[in-house]
């Protein structure tokens, strides 16, 4: 299973480890994914999603239904 946020599509970024001597080696910046259950009032059921911690903060601010509608509009949910 790929490490991608189900609602925002966030995925790992690639960058460099930089030593004190300025040597550079490749590294990955992983997404902080959390498996979380949300209650959908419109569907009347619990939905389990793998979302980033920053997405959970957005859901707390805007509400679950609004974030799901935005994800559908952006094409992350079918």
């Amino acid at each position: 299973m790929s490490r991608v946020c189900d609602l925002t599509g966030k995925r790992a970024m690639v960058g460099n480890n930089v030593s004190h001597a300025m040597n550079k080696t490749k590294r990955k910046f992983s997404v902080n994914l959390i498996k979380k259950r949300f209650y959908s009032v419109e569907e009347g059921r619990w939905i389990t999603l793998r979302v980033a911690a920053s997405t959970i903060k957005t859901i707390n601010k805007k509400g679950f239904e609004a974030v799901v509608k935005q994800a559908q509009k952006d094409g992350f949910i079918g």
Side-chain angles (χ1 to χ4, degrees):
M1 186 183 294
S2 61
R3 296 189 53 81
V4 179
C5 178
D6 290 336
L7 293 178
T8 59
K10 286 188 175 188
R11 56 182 63 232
M13 294 174 61
V14 178
N16 289 315
N17 276 328
V18 182
S19 69
H20 187 70
M22 296 300 285
N23 297 328
K24 294 171 182 71
T25 56
K26 285 291 187 185
R27 63 160 293 181
K28 274 173 93 172
F29 293 94
S30 296
V31 181
N32 186 9
L33 288 181
I34 299 165
K35 191 173 183 181
K36 181 99 171 99
R37 285 180 9 151
F38 298 100
Y39 187 75
S40 175
V41 178
E42 290 180 356
E43 296 183 24
R45 65 185 181 101
W46 289 93
I47 300 170
T48 302
L49 297 171
R50 289 182 72 194
V51 294
S54 59
T55 306
I56 293 175
K57 291 174 73 174
T58 305
I59 290 170
N60 288 338
K61 183 177 179 181
K62 295 182 179 179
F64 179 68
E65 304 297 335
V67 175
V68 169
K69 285 180 183 173
Q70 184 66 38
Q72 287 174 338
K73 190 175 123 184
D74 293 342
F76 297 116
I77 298 177

